[in-house]
Amino acid sequence: MNRGVSIAKWNDQVANEDAFFSSDSCIAVSDGAGGCGLFANEWSQYLIDNLPKDKPISTFQELDEWVDGIWEPFYNEHEEKAKEGDGILLNKFYNEGSCATIVAVWSIDEKTCKWMAYGDSVVFHYSFQSGLLEHSFIRLSDFSNPPRLVSCKDPLEKEGFRSGEFTLDDTSVVFAASDALSHYVLMMYELSKCKEYGEELAEEYLKHSGNSLLLKTAETLKIDFEKDVIGQLLVVSESEDSFLGYLQGLYRLGVVDMDDFTFVCLGRK
């Protein structure tokens, strides 16, 4: 089993800036930053296309060397594209380039996955046996902060890199998602264990951000995390129409922000 699905903002006629990869041994998501620079959708797809699928990126140095080895052809091609526009477009590209997040996980063996993340796309490991959710992010409230991004022209920052390992059991599911959906998954999990995550939830409230409003709405819902979040995502991700309907429903409820949405699940042999 491996599957991935991605939809663009349904209220806007713009390109989907998310890109993903899915196989039995590797999944990855890149979320192009449309608010920064140009060609965000092309840069996110370029990162996914060039990501090593058979060998984990385990350290910041490895990520830095990988980006250093691929950025120049993209930059040169898109500099020419920017020149086809007006001077404002070209200056924007020179000043801001193209930016995106990247998160990936590689299956090492039946019981082990290695992951790395840069930015606010997230990889998760959920065990139906233990009911525990592990993830690559830091804290729920950090979704309200501007993410660090992989740029086609600027150096990476070591503080933005995270990596780790998941130890799987026979009931494990490993998946990755772009930021708006990741925020929903993590928020609902922490609400399902609100005594354990009271401090993180309080931090989110105190941000007085759009995410705080999502949290205030979400806490009024009666939801079984395993059945209504994890179980539902595994079902609706089988088709784009089902995924779209599911996200539109969550948006109407007021528990996700409008965004591009991507979900990709690692296959189990």
Side-chain angles (χ1 to χ4, degrees):
M1 176 193 76
N2 64 79
R3 63 169 71 96
V5 61
S6 186
I7 57 171
K9 304 176 188 74
W10 55 83
N11 69 338
D12 208 343
Q13 298 302 312
V14 295
N16 185 351
E17 290 164 346
D18 288 358
F20 73 88
F21 175 81
S22 167
S23 76
D24 286 334
S25 58
C26 175
I27 56 172
V29 171
S30 179
D31 179 355
C36 171
L38 303 172
F39 312 116
N41 59 316
E42 294 175 43
W43 178 235
S44 63
Q45 188 63 57
Y46 185 81
L47 291 175
I48 290 296
D49 289 345
N50 286 277
L51 182 77
K53 312 300 194 304
D54 54 354
K55 183 176 180 239
I57 293 173
S58 300
T59 66
F60 173 74
Q61 183 179 351
E62 288 174 359
L63 178 68
D64 197 40
E65 288 173 355
W66 170 62
V67 175
D68 195 45
I70 67 167
W71 70 270
E72 199 165 4
F74 180 93
Y75 183 91
N76 291 340
E77 178 186 339
H78 290 79
E79 180 185 28
E80 292 306 310
K81 285 189 179 182
K83 285 177 180 176
E84 294 170 9
D86 55 26
I88 295 172
L89 204 67
L90 186 59
N91 282 336
K92 186 174 177 67
F93 184 69
Y94 285 149
N95 290 332
E96 300 176 25
S98 304
C99 301
T101 70
I102 185 80
V103 64
V105 59
W106 296 263
S107 177
I108 305 304
D109 55 44
E110 286 290 311
K111 297 294 182 185
T112 313
C113 283
K114 290 194 172 181
W115 59 264
M116 74 89 187
Y118 195 95
D120 58 5
S121 300
V122 183
V123 61
F124 297 89
H125 165 225
Y126 183 75
S127 165
F128 283 88
Q129 181 177 292
S130 68
L132 295 178
L133 182 75
E134 297 179 283
H135 60 86
S136 62
F137 207 56
I138 305 172
R139 294 173 80 80
L140 185 65
S141 61
D142 288 326
F143 280 107
S144 298
N145 301 330
R148 287 184 169 88
L149 299 166
V150 179
S151 167
C152 72
K153 70 176 198 65
D154 297 321
L156 297 172
E157 298 174 331
K158 193 170 186 179
E159 297 77 16
F161 177 80
R162 293 181 302 283
S163 65
E165 192 171 289
F166 295 140
T167 300
L168 313 183
D169 61 43
D170 291 339
T171 69
S172 289
V173 59
V174 176
F175 60 95
S178 46
D179 59 330
L181 182 54
S182 292
H183 178 269
Y184 170 72
V185 171
L186 189 53
M187 174 179 72
M188 298 314 296
Y189 179 71
E190 294 195 357
L191 283 172
S192 76
K193 298 179 179 288
C194 56
K195 289 182 180 174
E196 186 178 339
Y197 290 99
E199 186 182 322
E200 281 197 41
L201 293 166
E203 279 180 16
E204 177 89 310
Y205 279 121
L206 293 171
K207 284 273 186 177
H208 300 295
S209 64
N211 287 340
S212 307
L213 297 175
L214 301 178
L215 178 58
K216 286 173 185 173
T217 303
E219 71 173 357
T220 67
L221 305 178
K222 295 279 189 279
I223 281 182
D224 178 301
F225 177 76
E226 183 167 288
K227 179 167 85 62
D228 298 326
V229 179
I230 300 296
Q232 276 288 92
L233 280 170
L234 291 174
V235 170
V236 301
S237 61
E238 291 181 352
S239 87
E240 196 172 296
D241 286 346
S242 297
F243 191 62
L244 173 62
Y246 176 70
L247 268 304
Q248 287 177 330
L250 294 182
Y251 179 73
R252 286 193 295 271
L253 279 174
V255 292
V256 295
D257 268 337
M258 179 62 68
D259 203 349
D260 301 331
F261 293 97
T262 298
F263 175 90
V264 58
C265 185
L266 185 67
R268 298 297 306 280
K269 292 174 184 175

